Amino acid sequence: MTHTGDNSRRITTPGQLAALGLLLAGIAVLARWHEGPALWGGALLGIAGVGGYFVQFDTPRGLVQSLLAAVGLCMVFMFGLQLLIGVFA
């Protein structure tokens, strides 16, 4: 029988925090700049964050992860709104 390691539960995983960080960075860039390369850089950061959000928060476990998932969902909508403002401005 093999031992696969410690099965202790973590409150959050580094991937969840990275996804939320990428979303926050994308929102921050798009809130400041609405044209040029900064717009597209912020869009790429946000898209990476959205992808990471859907990968990392597929099944949140516990209250803390559910709250982070809810905050992340709000950030996804805010990123979408900032991207639409930047593209159509």
Side-chain angles (χ1 to χ4, degrees):
M1 192 167 208
T2 61
H3 180 62
T4 58
D6 187 20
N7 287 335
S8 64
R9 290 203 158 178
R10 302 176 94 181
I11 293 175
T12 62
T13 63
Q16 291 172 336
L17 296 177
L20 293 178
L22 284 170
L23 272 169
L24 186 62
I27 291 169
V29 169
L30 290 176
R32 177 73 171 100
W33 291 285
H34 295 292
E35 58 186 29
L39 169 78
W40 300 112
L44 287 176
L45 282 173
I47 289 171
V50 169
Y53 173 79
F54 285 121
V55 168
Q56 294 295 323
F57 288 103
D58 58 346
T59 54
R61 295 179 196 98
L63 179 64
V64 174
Q65 285 189 1
S66 297
L67 288 175
L68 280 176
V71 168
L73 187 63
C74 293
M75 290 171 69
V76 166
F77 285 119
M78 179 61 79
F79 167 71
L81 179 67
Q82 288 291 339
L83 186 63
L84 287 174
I85 290 170
V87 168
F88 291 121

